[in-house]
Amino acid sequence: MSEQVIRHRGGGRDENSELTEPVDTPLTAMEIAPGGGSKYAERSREGESIAYTVYFMPGVDLTNRDELTVRNQRFSIIVNDWRSAGRGGLEVLCTRSQG
């Protein structure tokens, strides 16, 4: 069953130090899985825990600089592109900083 999430991109300053407007875009996730609570995942950066793992079909426009709102909570993300037996997609780790 698919679920809507919100991608947050932009805001801040561009290469000419001009203010840029943030853009929020709804995206449809294939699946949202729990990320393991307060345990640290090997793929996460030091000092971060995974709250959710979100799966998308190939071609979804996400980068590590974006943020996602999942189930009414906003997260930094780590984007992993995966391929298996000719199929693939994006695995997105929703992280929270710790300490």
Side-chain angles (χ1 to χ4, degrees), residues 24-83:
D24 295 343
T25 304
L27 301 173
T28 302
M30 289 179 7
E31 191 72 42
I32 299 174
S38 62
K39 295 182 180 179
Y40 295 100
E42 287 183 27
R43 290 180 288 186
S44 71
R45 299 177 186 130
E46 186 176 319
E48 294 181 339
S49 64
I50 307 301
Y52 293 106
T53 302
V54 184
Y55 298 95
F56 293 96
M57 295 295 290
V60 172
D61 182 20
L62 282 168
T63 70
N64 289 334
R65 290 176 298 207
D66 296 330
E67 293 184 342
L68 280 184
T69 294
V70 178
R71 298 180 178 163
N72 298 316
Q73 297 178 20
R74 191 166 173 160
F75 299 97
S76 297
I77 61 173
I78 300 169
V79 179
N80 296 310
D81 188 13
W82 56 270
R83 304 257 179 245

